[in-house]
Amino acid sequence: MRTRGGLAAICLALVVGTTAACTSSEDPEPTPEPTGEPVRLSFGTTGSDAEAGAWDRVAADFDGGDDVTVDTVRLPEEVGALEAQADAGNLPDVFLADRSDLAWLVENEAVQPVDELLDERGVDFGDRYSRDALQAFSSDNALQCMPVGISPMVVYYNTDLIDFDRMRARGLDAPASTNGWTLGSFAAAAEFATRPGRGTRGLHIDPTLRGFAPLVYSAGGQVFDDEVEPSSLSFSSDETRSALETFLPLLRNRPLNLTADQLERRSALEWFERGRVGMIAGTRELVPELRRVDGLRFDVMPMPFLGDDATVGDVTGLCLSAETKDPAVAADFLVHALSAESIGRVTRVGELVPADLEVSVSDDFVQPARQPRNPQVFTESIRDIRLAPLLDTDGALSDAAAPFLAEMVDEPVLAPEDLEVLGAEIDLASREVLSPDDIDLDGTPDDEDDDVDPGLLPSEEPDEDDPGLG
């Protein structure tokens, strides 16, 4: 496991109100002088065909002089794709990256920090970008990549199945505004959307680390044992177990949730598009696809409030390759790609929640004539994002926890002691990913006794009369 230093690289400007850039603790390498030779930059893009097309037009509009050409390259998006590109010597000069790639990129010195280069070119990222966005791409006392999009997870709901005015008219617990809702009003909306005669269900939340994390954080739990350099997940802690006990009863309520059989036949998103499920969780990237569904009417709400405002999200940034032959020209192109005009062009596609605060309040993002009717839910939820530690093991960690989280939802009977066992199993499985050197040969952490408390072993014959959390 490799993890980088966490939050020390936030711009001083965000604290004292100046426009100074984030700076590295070491003197930066001087920018080479232009040679006068023709320059051919490569620009790596990701996203849907429409979003990649918008980036292509941004590249085509770059005026770097007659001797500068920018070639766009569509990057593969599977896990480890950027590592493969770098290992093969094919990392573009400028490229889009997800925050989950940052740990590997920095550890392997595949990128060069952008704060000094942008400051030299007058980019005012102290005022135009939120602290959360800058923090997400900061590591080793420098801004490693420039944030482009920061898209929180929110709740999408079908406005035909869930009508808050009608709920209130019936005396049901409905949210008073789009600012937020409690677990009670979230559950009431799920019940309102569940109509057995029409074959509709109330909700679906993926039983994964990503799906559970907003609810765990909101209910006072923690996903990791340390938010900077974790050695384990934290599902066996008292706080996280209490958080699970808060929201699992709703996710285990069979009539309200999509069944395992339904999910085998179609994804939750497909059921939502068919008007058969009231609520799903997702980021802004779902918007263009949902807009294309004839007859589907939808809006968004924040993740439910269980004691604190919390969510997770996707953060993307523009990075400069450490191997680019023309860092000055690459930095000039980066400034062009970060302009309000360029980001606005990409934002109009509908997938991006721009990290640029100026664009995030413009019609390029708000798109007032289109669904969802309350796009401000995305921008207002940014401040609630809980950033995960910078790890290069996200995929393996999620896979390790997945079967136990699924069991928390699918097991017919889940007694409190069973939840305690599953939490311990999740944490042990996570240590094998995050800190394998700290695990004894018998599979127990070095700092724990080898004797297993028999009280933590699942019973072979659960008491059917004790419903527990089910």
Side-chain angles (χ1 to χ4, degrees), residues 42-359:
S42 55
F43 175 37
T45 66
T46 56
S48 68
D49 290 343
E51 186 166 285
W55 283 117
D56 288 345
R57 293 188 290 276
V58 167
D61 285 347
F62 176 56
D63 184 9
D66 294 337
D67 60 344
V68 176
T69 302
V70 180
D71 298 317
T72 56
V73 180
R74 189 73 177 272
L75 294 172
E77 297 190 35
E78 59 265 20
V79 175
L82 281 180
E83 298 178 30
Q85 296 285 118
D87 290 342
N90 294 327
L91 198 62
D93 298 293
V94 182
F95 59 94
L96 286 161
D98 189 86
R99 183 177 182 268
S100 61
D101 298 313
L102 187 60
W104 188 93
L105 291 169
V106 174
E107 181 75 26
N108 291 274
E109 300 181 346
V111 293
Q112 55 181 304
V114 299
D115 42 13
E116 292 284 352
L117 292 168
L118 293 177
D119 188 48
E120 290 170 3
R121 288 159 175 79
V123 176
D124 181 13
F125 50 86
D127 291 334
R128 280 181 52 194
Y129 291 83
S130 71
R131 176 188 178 93
D132 305 274
L134 294 169
Q135 176 178 311
F137 275 103
S138 298
S139 178
D140 284 359
N141 297 320
L143 186 62
Q144 300 293 339
C145 302
M146 194 62 193
V148 170
I150 178 165
S151 184
M153 182 180 290
V154 300
V155 175
Y156 285 79
Y157 70 98
N158 182 310
T159 56
D160 288 324
L161 295 179
I162 299 173
D163 186 315
F164 296 142
D165 290 336
R166 288 167 56 201
M167 288 178 63
R168 280 188 286 270
R170 296 185 186 183
L172 301 176
D173 184 3
S177 72
T178 59
N179 293 334
W181 48 357
T182 64
L183 182 62
S185 53
F186 184 64
E191 293 175 0
F192 190 80
T194 302
R195 303 172 188 178
R198 298 185 183 181
T200 63
R201 300 277 178 156
L203 79 156
H204 177 76
I205 298 292
D206 288 333
T208 60
L209 278 181
R210 181 177 171 84
F212 274 23
L215 303 176
V216 168
Y217 285 129
S218 182
Q222 293 297 323
V223 174
F224 297 91
D225 66 349
D226 187 277
E227 293 302 316
V228 178
E229 296 188 2
S231 60
S232 168
L233 293 174
S234 188
F235 280 75
S236 61
S237 69
D238 291 342
E239 295 80 6
T240 301
R241 188 162 57 251
S242 176
L244 292 167
E245 291 171 345
T246 299
F247 66 81
L248 275 178
L250 175 60
L251 303 191
R252 289 175 52 79
N253 189 321
R254 299 291 189 270
L256 302 186
N257 291 267
L258 288 173
T259 66
D261 179 64
Q262 288 173 319
L263 291 169
E264 285 182 4
R265 287 185 281 140
R266 293 185 179 88
S267 68
L269 176 59
E270 290 172 322
W271 285 118
F272 187 82
E273 291 174 344
R274 288 169 173 260
R276 297 285 297 279
V277 62
M279 296 179 288
I280 59 172
T283 60
R284 177 76 180 188
E285 69 175 356
L286 298 183
V287 166
E289 179 175 346
L290 295 179
R291 285 174 173 171
R292 291 192 293 267
V293 180
D294 289 339
L296 177 64
R297 297 198 300 171
F298 68 93
D299 206 347
V300 290
M301 284 284 290
M303 295 300 294
F305 177 87
L306 282 67
D308 196 6
D309 293 313
T311 189
V312 296
D314 295 330
V315 191
T316 54
L318 278 170
C319 307
L320 296 185
S321 169
E323 300 299 322
T324 182
K325 295 178 181 179
D326 297 279
V329 179
D332 289 342
F333 175 73
L334 183 61
V335 171
H336 164 72
L338 291 168
S339 69
E341 181 180 357
S342 296
I343 297 300
R345 167 175 276 171
V346 179
T347 300
R348 286 195 292 274
V349 173
E351 299 175 26
L352 187 71
V353 181
D356 185 319
L357 298 177
E358 176 184 328
V359 181

Side-chain angles (χ1 to χ4, degrees), residues 367-419:
Q367 302 179 355
R370 309 193 71 185
Q371 299 186 95
R373 292 176 57 191
N374 291 287
Q376 76 280 358
V377 168
F378 291 103
T379 52
E380 291 172 357
S381 294
I382 288 174
R383 63 178 178 266
D384 302 326
I385 289 179
R386 304 292 180 91
L387 292 172
L390 288 177
L391 306 169
D392 63 359
T393 54
D394 282 355
L397 190 60
S398 297
D399 290 344
F404 306 109
L405 295 175
E407 191 172 347
M408 288 183 182
V409 172
D410 296 334
E411 190 68 21
V413 177
L414 186 68
E417 57 268 25
D418 299 324
L419 185 61

